[in-house]
Structures are given as structure tokens and as C-alpha cells.
Amino acid sequence: MKEIPYKIYLEESEMPKAWYNLRADMKNKPAPLLDSKTLKPITAEELSKVFCDELVKQELDDTTPYFDIPQEIYDFYKMYRPSPLVRAYCLEERLQTPAKIYYKFEGNNTSGSHKLNSAIAQAYYAKKQGLKGVTTETGAGQWGTALSMACSYFELDCKVYMVKVSYEQKPFRREVMRTYGASVTPSPSMETAVGRKILEAHPGTTGSLGCAISEAVEVATQTEGYRYVLGSVLNQVLLHQTVIGLETKTALDKYDIKPDIIIGCAGGGSNLGGLISPFMGEKIRGEADYRIIGVEPASCPSFTRGTYAYDYCDTGMVCPLQKMYTLGSGFIPASTHSGGLRYHGMSSTLSQLYHDGLMDVVSVHQTEVFEAAQKFAKVEGILPAPESSHAIKVAIDEAMKCKETGEEKTIVFGLTGTGYFDMMAYEKFNDKKMQDYTPSDEELQAALKNLPKF
Amino acid sequence: MKEIPYKIYLEESEMPKAWYNLRADMKNKPAPLLDSKTLKPITAEELSKVFCDELVKQELDDTTPYFDIPQEIYDFYKMYRPSPLVRAYCLEERLQTPAKIYYKFEGNNTSGSHKLNSAIAQAYYAKKQGLKGVTTETGAGQWGTALSMACSYFELDCKVYMVKVSYEQKPFRREVMRTYGASVTPSPSMETAVGRKILEAHPGTTGSLGCAISEAVEVATQTEGYRYVLGSVLNQVLLHQTVIGLETKTALDKYDIKPDIIIGCAGGGSNLGGLISPFMGEKIRGEADYRIIGVEPASCPSFTRGTYAYDYCDTGMVCPLQKMYTLGSGFIPASTHSGGLRYHGMSSTLSQLYHDGLMDVVSVHQTEVFEAAQKFAKVEGILPAPESSHAIKVAIDEAMKCKETGEEKTIVFGLTGTGYFDMMAYEKFNDKKMQDYTPSDEELQAALKNLPKF
């Protein structure tokens, strides 16, 4: 058996040439998007008012198994991909576990995360369609940063609505976006009808992804030559993010490694979906079996405490409806929650998989997440993003179980990004001022009151 | 000829097994360090009060051409090395230059720079000697971050004196250091005799590397089980940093690439020295010829406007004296200067090479440096550190000369790190509030008044 290096880097020629569309292999397909007015399945024509035409095709197609990666995107990928699959030798040593731990590290680019994989694809299709620009929302700012980089590369205008709490707590991400030429507006803002309405109903709100989406969609649909782009949740995004899972699988195969457990953090599902897709495909087709674990914050527990139902994707109810695990479009995580992954809903693809019992989900508290992050940083030399650290926490837990049982399981997790712009959260943690929060049943019940009635 | 990928990654097995000691090949050796009291060449015994024993050997040895890299350091290197040598295809395309541009990227680790290469070596030797901890100074915070990571790995105590202006402007780096378990004190501080003296003489000073060094040395020499470590200037640091140049050379050789021009930014000289050493060795031995260019800020122009003389390495005059290009140990760069590279002196090895006409040095203004940084970021997808951007600026200038002449020169530059913790400087640039500064001849003359008299 070949000796396994610390970092497995593929050759450029081994990078995937096509994205993998997991839906083509799913027995139960994700439910279709519904028009928010008619409550009927939305047509490509309707959807193309919001998204670029090519992206609409990708969004609605649940039968084509592969989509070729256009050369222009492939060339951009080559600037920061293939990303390394790292053997966490030092972490294993520190934990004294017989488990073998690997992580796919997506943080080696200026956006600091995997988000760039879809940003460049969405910017490319917008450019190809001859658009002037795109609008989007961003939470922690990873997606906005990624999109600003992608737009700058293709010389597209980029308008970002940034959740107010992040805009204020993370001014440096705003400056990265500005350096790449994007305009950044704190959300909710007075620039849009929906923003004004939300501010009137909730003065002093620190915002949410749901609000910011509504604003970005409003501007995109009402400005000539603009479309809206989104960094997670959507099928098209999961499709682009399969580059993560495909590279991971190629790297593992190269060294004849069969993972037992695959772990990813889940906010809207872009990383988790992208990482697990090729493995889930094998599982569905009966070619292999894996334990697949999504990890979400206990303070925003869409999977583990949400409802599987059609819901609005945004607070302003301007987007199509999606069937998903949801906390209700009015849900806003507690302001003490610093760990990212703040979206009220979840990818419809992942929701269907979870509903069908094909994956597990675990919820974790932010303090234990930061403890895991620090432990990881000290031995693996990477200060992880709070989001990614959810996966680290559960990977360490699983490795410690192996220590108890003596099992030599192979654990693969997604390290989606770095925490360099999250130092205010780390400061809270260092000062021992971080608080955990679990929403009450009543709170969750109240947030569901806006679920659409059929 | 093999097709050259975007990123040349060496195999782990191709990583250098030994550091290269350029001094062994130099015809004119760097002048010896002098004891600051006797003004005689300092002995190993005297020096070992400040530095670990093994590092003293490396510091003083100018005849041994190679030092083996200990296995423990090699294992740590494998976590983030080999670093990629990147072909800047996108930058070339944007500039429409026939030049071929490569950069060695050292920013893919949490310290954000090449500083980790020496930090882990110095921490290792301290651990091996059975010390409790180390002290150091840090400017922008890259070195302090690197050292805190290295100390955390070997479970050593780490006390960092951080130049006050950076401590205040870059609170996030402080939190990274704290997350890795270091203590961080703004310098000058009231904790040390030298700090109190400096504060008395210059109340309200925003500090300098020279002050912070004095404080760190004072604490190291007066605390049982502690030694001082330094991130640049010293021979030992340049030695460790040759891992950059050696990897670069191996990667170039692998694809039969002969560089014409090699460019690095210079503050104290750690990156420049590390990058150029193997190439300079060939040049000295007459095996190859390269144009080697150091780049420094016009506001802190040690090489281009300094004096070649013995000088103090620190403001408090507690360190040994070094013969180098210096602006005088009392020189403090203008507070409008945000671009890093703030040290008043320069590596004695590089000083000797420059004095002997073996390399060129160019000084550049910070606004043009940030313009180059932004241009680079937009096409190459990496937001560079201000320090590294000095090299980018000159690499672009050289590439544009090639465009005029039609020459297909091969340019290699060192991209020492990322700018993720420098967003306040980028904000100034984005807001068009960045100012250039050139010290007057009178100012420089005044700063030299403390030069030691013989």
C-alpha cells in the first residue's frame, strides 16, 4: 500500500471535467419549486426572471447525471483547485485515536471557503448571457466575497446585501468585497420596498439571510440586465459544489481509501451536498455504504427540529417556495449565535435525502464547536471557520468513539474554510464570554406561523 | 516540453532535507556581530544568553553549506508545505505581456506568511533545549502569529511584544495569537525597563520594531528558562527560510525553467534572503546568472537611502551590533505608512550582497503598491499582504518592460503572504485616503545620530 502523504493533491488533469447531478440517481426526487403566488410548480420562464437561463436549466433538471464544466470555469478553478485532501496525522496523534481522519480543505482562496466554486459558475453564466451584473445576499460574508471575486474576474457588476449583524461585526470582509469592486449594503436597508417593510415591522433588527435574500431578489428582478444569484440551498449550487466531493473521491480512490463516515456542516447545504454527492450516489445505487452525517448548530436546528414542508425561502416571500426542512421563514437565530449557519431552511435535495433516512444529522452547541476549532487549530495549523468547526466537532467525537471501541474507522470531513474574518467570535470564546442558545419549542412554533397554507 | 500547470506542487519526497547556508559560498562574508558593550565580536557563550544554543551555532557558522532539517520540523513543514509555485497565467493575460510570471506563494497557512518556516525551527530548538518559553516582538503580527502556532505545537510558553500601532489597528491578529495560547503586550509597555524609558522619552509613541525587540530581549534574558527569538534579519532566520528558495528551484528545475529575474520584498530580509539563496549561490559560484531585485518601501528605505555601517538592531541598544544597511536604530517610519516592512535595518547577509553589487534594490510608494495588489487580486484570486505587494509591483513593472521590448523573460517573485488581516490598510486605499511618504534627507540624517562610534 502506498504511503499516504499529509496532503493529497491531485494533478490538474485529474480534476473533474463535469459536475455530478445527484438528483438523477435519487429514487425520490426533491419536490419541485412552487410559484409563490399561484402555489403551482414554477416554470422555467418564470424562474428565468430571477436566475440566468443556464442556471434555471440546472436548477430544474433532475435527470441529467452530469453537466460539463465550461472551460472558462475550469481555468478559474485551476487558480485555487484542486484543493488538498489532508490526512490529519497530527490531530490523530493528539487524540490518540486509531481512527484515520481526512479533511477536504476548501479555504485556500481569498473568499476563505468553498463558496467560490459556485460563485465563479454563476458569474460565468451571467456573463455568457450578456448581463450587466448580479445581486446577492451574504451572511458572514464568505459568499459575498466569493461572488465579488468571481464578478471581478468576469468584469460584472456585483451588488451585495449583507446581513446587518455581519456587516457591523465583520467590516473587513466588506473591505475585501470593495477591493474586488463590489457594492455592499447592510440589510435590511431602506433601498428596497421589502427592506423598508421589514424595518418598519422590526425596527433595530440585526437582519437575517431571509431578509437579505428578499432585498437582493427585488433589486435583481426590477433592474434591467441583472439577475439574482445565491450561494447555497439551490440545486444548482449543490451541483457546482460537487467538485468538492468528486475531487475527494478521486483522491481517496488514488490511495485505495474507503471512508466509513463522511461529515459536513450544514447551513443551507451547499458544502454538505457538494461533499457527499458522489458518495451518496454510490449509496443510492447500492455500490457502497457510508455513514453520512450533517452537522448543524443547536441554535438554528433546521434538520433536527424543523418541519418538512413547503416554505418560503426568504422573509419577504418573493422567492419561489421550496419543500424542505424549515424553521419558518420568520426565524432569526439568537444574536448570541456567532457560529455561522444561520439560514432558516435547507437544500431541498438534502431535505429529501434526510427524509428518506439516507443520512444522519447531529446538532451541536457553539461553545463546544469553538473548543473543537481551537483543538484542531493547535495541531493542524489551520484556524478554521466557525461553520467548518461544526464538522470538526463531530469528526473528533467519532474519532473518540473509535478510541473507546478500538475501531480503525476512516473519517472524512469537509473543512469548508478559514476563520480569519471571524476573530470577533474567537475573541468572545477566548474571553470565555461565548453563550450557547437553544430555541424553546414555543419559539420554534411561533416562527412557523408564516408557513404557507395549501 | 512539459505543459506547465497553474500550480506546481512538489511531492513531499521532493521537499528539501536541509537548509542551505549561503554564507558558506560567499566570498565576502557578512561582518561578525559585535557585543554592544565591548564592541568586540560576540562569542557563542555571550550570544547563548539571548538565543538557544543550536541557533547560536547556526547564527555564527559561515562555512557549513547545509544544515539538516530535523525530522520534527520536517513533519510540521508537511502540514503546510511544499508551498505552490504558481504560474500567473491570468495576470500575464491581463497585462498582455510576453513575460512568464511565477510566484512562490507562502500564504497558505494560518500565520498567513512565510514566517512559520523559521518560527517552527526556533520553537523546536527551544523545546529541545528544555526551555519553558520564548519571547519575541511582532510588527504587523505575522511573525507573532507564526510563533504562537509553533509554540502551541511544541507546548512552549510564548510572550509577544506587539508594536502598538499594529496592536491597535490589527486586533484580530492578537486574537489569533491568543487562540494559540500566546500572551500579547502592546509595545512600548510599562512591563520592562526599556519600555518605560522609551515611553518617558517619547510619550504617545506608536512604537516600532526596534522598541519591541528591546522589550522582548530584556524579558528573555532576565527570566529563567526563556530565550529570545526573532522573525527576520538574523542569519539563522535566513537559513530556515531557504526552504522557500530550495523548493522554488526544485519546482523550476522540474519543468526546465530558467528564471531571468527574481524579485522579493525586503523588510528585515527573511523572505528575500530565503527565496534568493540557492540562486545567489549559483551566481556566486559562476554557475548561472540571474538579476535579483529586492523591493523596499520608499518610506523606510534601508537599502536605497541607508548607511552601510555597524548599528544597533534595537532601539534600546540591548542587542548585539550588526553591520548592515541601516536608517539608524531611532528611525520610526511615518504613521501614514501602512504597508509593513517597517524595520530600520537589514539582514547583514543581504547587506553584504548588496554592497558587493550582487543584487539590485528598488524602492516603491505604498499607493502604487496597493494598486498592484488590487490588480493582482482581481485576476489571481489572492488578496496579497501589503508586504508581498511590493514584490508584485516590481514584477508587474518588469513584465510591462517585456511588453515594450517584446522579450519573453521569466520572472519569479515571492508572494510571502495574504492580506486578510490588513483590511484597514485596504480600506484606506479603497477610500482613496492612502498617503505616500518619503522621509527628507534631514530626517534620515537625524535618525543616524545614535550610530555607534568606534
Side-chain angles (χ1 to χ4, degrees), chain A residues 50-221:
Chain A
V50 181
F51 301 123
C52 304
D53 300 346
E54 283 294 324
L55 293 168
V56 169
K57 278 188 211 160
Q58 295 177 359
E59 190 61 34
L60 299 179
D61 188 329
D62 59 11
T63 55
T64 306
Y66 286 96
F67 284 87
D68 286 342
I69 300 174
Q71 187 63 43
E72 290 86 344
I73 298 174
Y74 197 76
D75 284 345
F76 188 90
Y77 276 173
K78 283 194 279 188
M79 280 204 300
Y80 69 101
R81 308 201 67 83
S83 70
L85 181 71
V86 186
R87 173 73 182 268
Y89 280 117
C90 299
L91 181 63
E92 292 171 18
E93 168 80 18
R94 189 60 57 102
L95 299 177
Q96 290 286 305
T97 174
K100 293 168 181 59
I101 308 174
Y102 295 85
Y103 55 91
K104 179 69 169 170
F105 180 43
E106 292 287 319
N108 275 348
N109 70 75
T110 287
S111 81
S113 81
H114 67 294
K115 297 279 180 179
L116 198 51
N117 300 328
S118 184
I120 193 62
Q122 297 191 50
Y124 166 76
Y125 290 116
K127 184 72 179 180
K128 203 180 155 205
Q129 194 172 321
L131 297 179
K132 285 186 211 154
V134 293
T135 71
T136 199
E137 83 297 331
T138 197
Q142 288 181 337
W143 167 246
T145 309
L147 189 69
S148 69
M149 291 171 68
C151 286
S152 155
Y153 185 77
F154 285 125
E155 299 181 318
L156 272 174
D157 186 36
C158 179
K159 291 184 197 298
V160 180
Y161 291 84
M162 186 170 187
V163 176
K164 193 176 277 173
V165 61
S166 297
Y167 184 91
E168 286 163 1
Q169 286 186 3
K170 295 169 183 180
F172 290 179
R173 276 248 170 76
R174 180 189 70 212
E175 291 307 321
V176 178
M177 291 185 252
R178 287 183 70 208
T179 303
Y180 280 97
S183 77
V184 189
T185 308
S187 167
S189 79
M190 296 297 285
E191 285 180 12
T192 63
V194 66
R196 290 188 292 271
K197 199 172 142 194
I198 291 167
L199 280 171
E200 202 174 308
H202 307 280
T205 176
T206 54
S208 71
L209 277 176
C211 303
I213 294 173
S214 300
E215 293 204 80
V217 171
E218 179 182 320
V219 172
T221 50

Side-chain angles (χ1 to χ4, degrees), chain A residues 135 236 422:
Chain A
T135 71
Q236 58 188 269
D422 300 287

Side-chain angles (χ1 to χ4, degrees), chain A residues 409-445:
Chain A
K409 284 187 182 166
T410 296
I411 299 168
V412 175
F413 72 89
L415 189 74
T416 54
T418 51
Y420 308 148
F421 291 97
D422 300 287
M423 293 319 297
M424 283 190 64
Y426 273 97
E427 185 174 12
K428 245 195 240 178
F429 173 73
N430 290 335
D431 289 340
K432 306 208 188 315
K433 288 184 181 157
M434 182 162 275
Q435 291 174 329
D436 289 335
Y437 181 77
T438 311
S440 67
D441 289 340
E442 293 70 34
E443 194 181 332
L444 291 181
Q445 209 54 48

Side-chain angles (χ1 to χ4, degrees), chain A residues 336-363:
Chain A
T336 52
H337 173 60
S338 1
L341 312 175
R342 304 172 62 87
Y343 187 58
H344 71 275
M346 185 51 64
S347 144
S348 64
T349 300
L350 292 177
S351 293
Q352 185 66 51
L353 294 167
Y354 181 60
H355 188 68
D356 290 344
L358 288 160
M359 53 181 265
D360 299 334
V361 177
V362 176
S363 80

Side-chain angles (χ1 to χ4, degrees), chain A residues 316-337:
Chain A
M317 308 176 190
V318 299
C319 293
L321 274 67
Q322 184 172 279
K323 192 172 179 192
M324 59 184 174
Y325 281 87
T326 178
L327 297 165
S329 61
F331 182 82
I332 295 183
S335 63
T336 52
H337 173 60

Side-chain angles (χ1 to χ4, degrees), chain B residues 81-323:
Chain B
R81 308 201 66 83
S83 70
L85 181 71
V86 186
R87 173 74 183 267
Y89 281 117
C90 298
L91 181 63
E92 292 171 18
E93 168 77 21
R94 189 61 57 102
L95 299 177
Q96 289 286 304
T97 173
K100 291 168 183 57
I101 309 174
Y102 294 85
Y103 54 92
K104 179 69 168 169
F105 180 43
E106 292 288 319
N108 276 348
N109 70 75
T110 287
S111 82
S113 82
H114 66 294
K115 297 279 179 179
L116 198 51
N117 300 329
S118 184
I120 192 63
Q122 297 190 50
Y124 166 76
Y125 290 116
K127 184 72 179 179
K128 202 179 156 206
Q129 194 171 320
L131 298 179
K132 286 186 210 153
V134 292
T135 70
T136 198
E137 83 299 330
T138 197
Q142 288 182 338
W143 166 246
T145 309
L147 189 69
S148 70
M149 291 172 67
C151 287
S152 156
Y153 185 78
F154 285 125
E155 298 181 319
L156 273 175
D157 186 37
C158 178
K159 293 185 196 294
V160 180
Y161 291 83
M162 187 171 187
V163 177
K164 193 176 276 173
V165 62
S166 297
Y167 184 90
E168 286 162 2
Q169 286 185 5
K170 295 170 182 179
F172 290 178
R173 276 246 170 77
R174 180 189 71 213
E175 290 307 319
V176 178
M177 291 185 253
R178 287 182 71 209
T179 303
Y180 280 95
S183 78
V184 189
T185 307
S187 167
S189 78
M190 296 298 285
E191 286 180 12
T192 63
V194 65
R196 289 188 291 271
K197 198 172 144 195
I198 291 167
L199 279 171
E200 202 175 308
H202 307 279
T205 175
T206 54
S208 71
L209 276 176
C211 303
I213 293 174
S214 301
E215 293 204 80
V217 171
E218 180 183 319
V219 173
T221 50
Q222 296 183 7
T223 315
E224 179 68 29
Y226 280 73
R227 289 293 184 284
Y228 169 68
V229 296
L230 179 64
S232 192
V233 181
L234 296 172
N235 294 321
Q236 58 189 265
V237 179
L238 265 70
L239 178 73
H240 306 147
Q241 294 295 358
T242 58
V243 69
I244 304 173
L246 293 165
E247 280 186 12
T248 302
K249 188 149 169 33
T250 305
L252 291 171
D253 286 350
K254 215 170 156 175
Y255 287 87
D256 295 322
I257 305 161
K258 272 276 165 209
D260 299 293
I261 305 174
I262 299 160
I263 302 167
C265 62
S270 70
N271 154 70
L272 181 63
L275 173 67
I276 69 173
S277 274
F279 303 97
M280 186 60 89
E282 287 188 308
K283 186 168 173 166
I284 290 171
R285 297 189 305 267
E287 297 162 12
D289 196 20
Y290 305 103
R291 185 169 172 223
I292 293 172
I293 310 175
V295 189
E296 66 179 12
S299 50
C300 189
S302 327
F303 270 127
T304 52
R305 298 179 66 201
T307 302
Y308 190 44
Y310 267 106
D311 194 8
Y312 300 99
C313 293
D314 62 320
T315 314
M317 306 175 189
V318 298
C319 292
L321 274 68
Q322 183 174 279
K323 192 174 180 191

Side-chain angles (χ1 to χ4, degrees), chain B residues 19-30 61-67 239 242 246 276-287 349 352-353 356 358:
Chain B
W19 297 300
Y20 167 57
N21 184 10
L22 175 62
R23 287 166 293 162
D25 280 325
M26 286 171 68
K27 282 160 197 161
N28 300 321
K29 310 284 182 189
D61 188 329
D62 58 12
T63 54
T64 306
Y66 286 95
F67 284 87
L239 178 73
T242 58
L246 293 165
I276 69 173
S277 274
F279 303 97
M280 186 60 89
E282 287 188 308
K283 186 168 173 166
I284 290 171
R285 297 189 305 267
E287 297 162 12
T349 300
Q352 185 66 50
L353 293 168
D356 291 344
L358 288 160

